[in-house]
Amino acid sequence: MKDENCIFCKIANGEIPSKTVYEDERFRVILDISPASKGHAIILVKNHAANVYELSEEDASAIYVVAKKVATAMQKVLKCDGINILQNNGEAAGQTVFHVHMHLIPRYKGDTVQITWKPGEESDILSDALLSEIKKEL
Ligand code: 5GP
Ligand code: ZN
C-alpha cells in the first residue's frame, strides 16, 4: 500500500534513489539526508503507515529485528560508543515526515546530539485510574 504523495513511500519502494544500507520485502534502511551523527540511518516501512498507531502488527514485530541487525553492523564498522534507536509519532514528538520510520543514531563520546529529558517527580507518574483505562484498551 503506497501513498502517491508520500516521499518516504517513493524512497522505500525505490522510485526515488537513496543511499540504502539494507533492504528486504518489508523495509528499506537508508542514510538520513541530514544526519544527526556519522551513520544516522532510518528504517522505512514499505507499506505506508503514517505512524505507529497505523503500523501493521507484522511490520511492527519485524522492524526491531531489522534495527538489531543494522545497529549491530553499524556498531562493528563505525565503532560508535552507543546507538539511539527511536521513532517519533506526531508533530509534538518531533515527527516531520508522516510515514513511519525508525531512527538509528550512532553516538560518539562527546558528540553534540541531544536526546534528553529532565527526570520528573514521583507525582508525575500516571494515576491508577488512567493506568486502568489504558489497560482496558489493550
Ligand atoms: P522525523 O523527524 O520525522 O522523525 O524524521 C525525519 C527524518 O527524515 C529526518 O531526520 C530527516 O533528515 C530525514 N529526511 C527527510 N527527508 C529525507 C529524504 O528525502 N531523504 C533522506 N535520506 N532522509 C530524509
Ligand atoms: Zn508513505
Side-chain angles (χ1 to χ4, degrees):
M1 209 178 25
K2 275 194 300 172
D3 176 335
E4 294 304 326
N5 301 313
C6 173
I7 184 157
F8 277 8
C9 275
K10 294 193 172 104
I11 295 175
N13 292 286
E15 278 173 51
I16 296 178
S18 61
K19 284 195 187 278
T20 296
V21 185
Y22 172 83
E23 185 184 5
D24 63 24
E25 66 281 359
R26 288 183 185 279
F27 305 103
R28 181 187 293 271
V29 185
I30 64 169
L31 296 181
D32 196 289
I33 205 167
S34 307
S37 67
K38 190 177 75 181
H40 181 177
I42 43 182
I43 305 173
L44 310 183
V45 294
K46 289 189 174 178
N47 279 324
H48 181 84
N51 47 44
V52 73
Y53 325 118
E54 291 184 5
L55 193 61
S56 71
E57 299 255 311
E58 293 79 8
D59 282 346
S61 58
I63 197 167
Y64 221 84
V65 176
V66 173
K68 173 188 158 65
K69 202 191 291 283
V70 177
T72 303
M74 291 203 310
Q75 201 285 323
K76 202 169 162 188
V77 173
L78 300 174
K79 307 212 171 2
C80 47
D81 301 306
I83 297 183
N84 289 114
I85 298 177
L86 60 99
Q87 193 266 313
N88 302 324
N89 299 284
E91 217 175 316
Q95 187 175 12
T96 57
V97 180
F98 295 89
H99 171 123
V100 75
H101 53 278
M102 188 177 268
H103 294 265
L104 301 174
I105 305 178
R107 300 299 305 272
Y108 304 90
K109 275 183 193 137
D111 70 26
T112 55
V113 179
Q114 284 190 14
I115 305 168
T116 56
W117 58 87
K118 184 174 150 290
E121 308 293 328
E122 205 175 332
S123 58
D124 297 320
I125 295 173
L126 222 54
S127 69
D128 286 347
L130 282 173
L131 189 58
S132 301
E133 275 194 54
I134 293 169
K135 285 180 175 174
K136 274 189 241 151
E137 294 292 329
L138 299 173

